[in-house]
Amino acid sequence: LPTDAATGVMYKAMALKVNPETVVGGLVLPGSRVDVVNVERLTNGKTAATMILQNVLIVGVDVNVVRNDDQSFIKNAQTVTMAVKQQEGLILALAQERGHVFLMLRDPTDTKVNKNLKSIVDYMQKNQDENAPESGSGAVEMTKIPVAKKTVPAGTKIENPADYFDEEEWPSSKVPDNFVTKMDELRGRTVTKDLLPKLPATKEAFEGDAPKTGIGSTGPKDPKRHTITFQVGGSTPYYAHFRDGKLEDGSVTPPVGPTPPSTDIKPQDKPNDKPDQGQ
């Protein structure tokens, strides 16, 4: 078995049960390099495919550990043995229990390892160009959603959505029904609940009545109630509460205690001034 050049730790051998489909019709031979794919059914009923290992060395097929020069395939193989690290062996064992495992035969000169691969759930290629280049994330269907550039306060009327929102692509399977999915749907609408920066626009943020604004507004907790503060000179301040522009009964809070007397400001005597003592 080979040794990891980076750590000096020797690889371990681990066998995998296979059938002709798993081993590319028998083309996987000792010395081949493969990628390992796990296919499992999720609890929500969908099926997911995940690349769990890449560029793995095959050290044996059945009892064959050496490839003959004239050998191009092994018919009806039952097992393949791979060189794996300890953690990789645990991943492989788990994959065998959770679903099906397939081997993808690599070109002998291909040593590239893609670290950006993602699981593909219920893969469909209805709208994908057949000639589009292969990407690490596969052909997961994506949906553009408006995301707030900055805080959009309640009461804001959206005349030009691009002034307030950017479009971001999300996997369609992860976009809830209450998300707004088209920028044009926001044009001319008024925000009724604050939208926070970097968060998607939701339908609930445009439902109901927008709060009224004005001096003394109590804000989102009670948008229809306003307070005006009165203070005369140095007296204790008092308040009047209004709702929908009308004074609430009994809402005026009178000042408490007597009004303190005002203090006259008198000029101080100059140091050189002396009182008139008379003659």
Side-chain angles (χ1 to χ4, degrees):
L1 290 173
T3 301
D4 186 353
T7 62
V9 177
M10 182 174 290
Y11 282 79
K12 297 172 173 56
M14 185 169 184
L16 170 71
K17 290 183 178 180
V18 297
N19 54 44
E21 294 83 11
T22 306
V23 292
V24 199
L27 297 179
V28 174
L29 302 172
S32 298
R33 291 274 180 173
V34 298
D35 293 335
V36 183
V37 178
N38 175 225
V39 178
E40 62 175 316
R41 185 170 294 278
L42 306 178
T43 55
N44 60 6
K46 295 185 177 182
T47 302
T50 308
M51 184 80 71
I52 58 174
L53 299 174
Q54 297 181 67
N55 200 29
V56 180
L57 175 65
I58 301 296
V59 296
V61 179
D62 288 342
V63 296
N64 303 291
V65 294
V66 178
R67 179 193 304 186
N68 297 327
D69 293 339
D70 59 347
Q71 189 175 30
S72 59
F73 70 95
I74 295 178
K75 186 177 181 180
N76 298 326
Q78 301 296 310
T79 62
V80 295
T81 302
M82 293 179 279
V84 295
K85 298 177 183 179
Q86 191 172 59
Q87 184 69 20
E88 293 173 339
L90 296 176
I91 294 173
L92 184 59
L94 181 62
Q96 291 184 82
E97 291 298 318
R98 294 179 61 174
H100 302 287
V101 177
F102 296 88
L103 305 182
M104 297 175 64
L105 185 61
R106 297 175 68 105
D107 186 279
T109 62
D110 180 13
T111 60
K112 181 180 178 181
V113 174
N114 192 333
K115 297 182 179 180
N116 298 318
L117 289 174
K118 301 178 183 179
S119 297
I120 296 178
V121 180
D122 280 352
Y123 170 73
M124 297 182 69
Q125 200 174 2
K126 290 182 179 179
N127 301 320
Q128 185 188 20
D129 183 359
E130 294 180 356
N131 297 321
E134 181 180 358
S135 61
S137 60
V140 178
E141 186 177 355
M142 306 295 286
T143 298
K144 289 184 177 181
I145 59 173
V147 175
K149 294 181 179 180
K150 57 186 178 181
T151 299
V152 185
T156 303
K157 186 173 182 180
I158 308 300
E159 299 291 353
N160 181 18
D163 292 341
Y164 302 93
F165 302 93
D166 288 323
E167 283 189 321
E168 291 186 4
E169 287 192 340
W170 281 36
S172 298
S173 60
K174 295 184 179 180
V175 177
D177 292 338
N178 67 324
F179 278 19
V180 177
T181 56
K182 295 181 179 179
M183 289 278 274
D184 285 343
E185 293 180 3
L186 304 176
R187 193 180 304 278
R189 301 187 65 181
T190 300
V191 178
T192 58
K193 300 177 183 65
D194 290 352
L195 284 168
L196 300 181
K198 304 299 183 182
L199 293 181
T202 61
K203 297 176 181 178
E204 290 84 355
F206 297 89
E207 294 176 351
D209 296 328
K212 297 180 180 179
T213 59
I215 299 175
S217 174
T218 59
K221 293 183 179 180
D222 193 358
K224 297 183 179 181
R225 194 168 188 261
H226 301 76
T227 300
I228 296 180
T229 303
F230 298 87
Q231 185 173 12
V232 180
S235 65
T236 303
Y238 62 101
Y239 310 91
H241 303 286
F242 296 81
R243 183 180 296 276
D244 290 335
K246 296 181 180 180
L247 181 67
E248 291 183 343
D249 293 335
S251 68
V252 178
T253 305
V256 179
T259 301
S262 62
T263 302
D264 294 336
I265 301 175
K266 298 180 179 180
Q268 295 181 353
D269 293 332
K270 297 182 180 179
N272 297 327
D273 290 344
K274 295 180 180 180
D276 185 7
Q277 298 177 356
Q279 298 295 331

